[in-house]
Amino acid sequence: QVQLVESGGGLVQPGESLRLSCKFSGSAFTRYTMAWFRQVPGKEREFVANIRPFGSNTLYADSVKGRFTVSRDNAKNTIFLQMIALRPEDTAVYFCAASSTVILSTMRTSSAYAYWGQGTQVTVSS
């Protein structure tokens, strides 16, 4: 059974940086497209970024493009989300997700991902 465990969240000030990690276990990591989503109370889960199995293709939400970078280490079954120039509107619970069947047209859709972590809180506030 696939399991995902996020870490690295916390409280930072606007303009600061943070790096999230997501450890994958339970299956062949390189079969999976991995993604980050985020959610604030009362709103739908929002796509942030994803990365294809061998890291050659990535996709970002317009709101984070140029500030966030997704990467993966296939030897360690881990993905990362490097976040710089954080803004208060980046405050959310960040979730890691995995899919072995997602296609290009649905990559930004949360329902396309079968496996989810428990989430890690990121708070950007002065």
Side-chain angles (χ1 to χ4, degrees), residues 32-106:
Y32 290 81
T33 290
M34 303 296 296
W36 290 98
F37 285 76
R38 65 187 182 185
Q39 189 170 25
V40 298
K43 291 192 175 181
E44 293 187 356
R45 202 161 288 190
E46 175 191 23
F47 172 78
V48 175
N50 76 2
I51 186 165
R52 306 292 274 278
F54 293 97
S56 59
N57 290 301
T58 56
L59 190 65
Y60 294 93
D62 289 343
S63 59
V64 307
K65 204 172 292 184
R67 299 187 300 120
F68 291 11
T69 302
V70 60
S71 61
R72 64 192 291 162
D73 184 339
N74 286 345
K76 296 182 178 179
N77 287 7
T78 302
I79 68 165
F80 305 96
L81 186 68
Q82 179 68 50
M83 305 183 290
I84 66 170
L86 282 161
R87 305 167 180 167
E89 54 263 39
D90 296 317
T91 296
V93 177
Y94 283 71
F95 296 90
C96 175
S99 174
S100 62
T101 60
V102 66
I103 59 176
L104 186 61
S105 62
T106 62

